[in-house]
Amino acid sequence: MTEPLHDRILIIDFGSQVTQLIARRVREAGVYCEIHPFQSAALAFERLQPKGVILSGGPASVHDEAAPSAPPAVFGAGLPILGICYGQQTTAKQLGGAVEGGHAAEFGRAYVEIDEPSALYDGIWTVGERHQVWMSHGDRVTRLPDGFAVRATSENAPFAIATDEDRRIYTTMFHPEVYHTPDGAKLLRRFVVDICGCRADWTMAAYRDEAIARIRAQVGDGKVICGLSGGVDSAVAAVLIHEAIGDQLTCILVDHGLMRMNEAAEVVDMFREHYNIPLVLVDAADTFISALEGVSDPEAKRKIIGGLFIDVFEAEAGKVGGARFLAQGTLYPDVIESVSFTGGPSVTIKSHHNVGGLPERMDLELVEPLRELFKDEVRALGRELGLPDSFVGRHPFPGPGLAIRCPGGITRDKLEILRKADAVYLDEIRKAGLYDAIWQAFAVLLPVQTVGVMGDGRTYDFVCALRAVTSVDGMTADFYPYDMAFLGRAATRIINEVNGINRVVYDVTSKPPGTIEWE
């Protein structure tokens, strides 16, 4: 068997909504890891040959019928294991301990008292100290397996940290992967680097060279077409592929009339002028907007855009003679989410990703050079490839574009009003030096018109809503706390410079895990 290029950590997913954060923290430590659902973990364990295993949290109870469990081979291999929350509970049960429900649950911020030393936090925490962590559990361990000892406790978790130091099995009732466990990233790094002995050599420089070699081996002398969206993912994928195979790549940018101000021109300029990458620009704005006029249902909009995108892209791709490969900017979260927690691949492609996917009749082999990367890693790779920060750091902008930022029926006039308002808003954000502090910001043209007085006249124009959110990982989001002076400047400019808007409001809602789009 070929020796892997990088040491590996296997993360077994029991369904926690924050399992991806475990992988992000491990990757941030410079160690390669993969997430696999518990149903297929045995095969993944055999294939990956990991140097350690992390068992995630999850919503189930170990007392449920057919409760999730880790493959027995994991516990018999002699490798270091870290069990988190449900991972602690299934470890205890599978190794002969006991777990009970009916005790006081613990959700949110908690504090652990360090009672005994452990290799897990050697050099990070000291006996006698008290540290903040983040808990999320109902059941709890009530009897430890043989060889385990309590290392730390919390008010409602008498086994907050329990370990078998000889067998290098470490379990925590809290979640070290989340932002609200301040030392959590240090604990995870300690586990994967110091305890598992993994080389911290997972870098974007190394990934770039390895990805180029894989692309060349897959494509050979074949031709590749890549659909650009104007976003970061597809652009980084295209530049990476071009570095690997040169003019064997042709990019296609479909301008559906729903892009931000000057976005298509900026992409064309960067690819044609700065990178000399073959690029076909398709002006299909009339086709898309005509089909969307009067459509108010957001999911109907997405389906119309997705269907038309397939038709237009397929027609242009057919003009690239001899193309055998289709390049996509698929990311690792897309790969993870395409596998159902209950087993089996999902046939549903998220409606904002490539606006619906491409049909099998195109008979093209996929090239997906980013499918092992998270969003922050894609940005790092883009910088490694020389893409300008102004492009790599762009706020997310999903495929349906302005169509879902214009609730209600769409018209050409409303889209133009929205495009101008959005451009003014983003310009004010950049002038204030706030762009990089905000995860995503955009304007929304509400389907509401109000009476207003401007100068000596009365107007009946639209209301514009401004949105800006902060996020660490894109899973949760909170509104950005602008000061009133900024909001005053932005609102004044929009009302003065954009005909058709006479009122501006700021959206201060937060978003739980899930979409952070307007609709």
Side-chain angles (χ1 to χ4, degrees), residues 126-198:
T126 303
V127 172
E129 293 180 343
R130 185 171 183 261
H131 292 279
Q132 178 184 311
V133 297
W134 191 260
M135 295 281 192
S136 180
H137 66 91
D139 294 353
R140 73 184 190 194
V141 175
T142 54
R143 188 182 74 250
L144 292 171
D146 291 342
F148 279 74
V150 177
R151 305 293 170 180
T153 60
S154 73
E155 183 177 354
N156 290 310
F159 303 124
I161 302 177
T163 72
D164 184 331
E165 301 288 324
D166 291 338
R167 284 192 287 175
R168 297 185 297 170
I169 302 177
Y170 310 88
T171 69
T172 70
M173 197 68 260
F174 61 86
H175 289 268
E177 68 273 26
V178 301
Y179 178 74
H180 296 91
T181 299
D183 291 326
K186 295 178 183 178
L187 298 177
L188 287 167
R189 179 181 176 82
R190 171 76 184 156
F191 176 74
V192 299
V193 174
D194 298 315
I195 294 174
C196 297
C198 292

Side-chain angles (χ1 to χ4, degrees), residues 317-330:
K319 299 175 185 178
V320 181
R324 293 169 32 219
F325 299 90
L326 171 67
Q328 290 190 153
T330 306

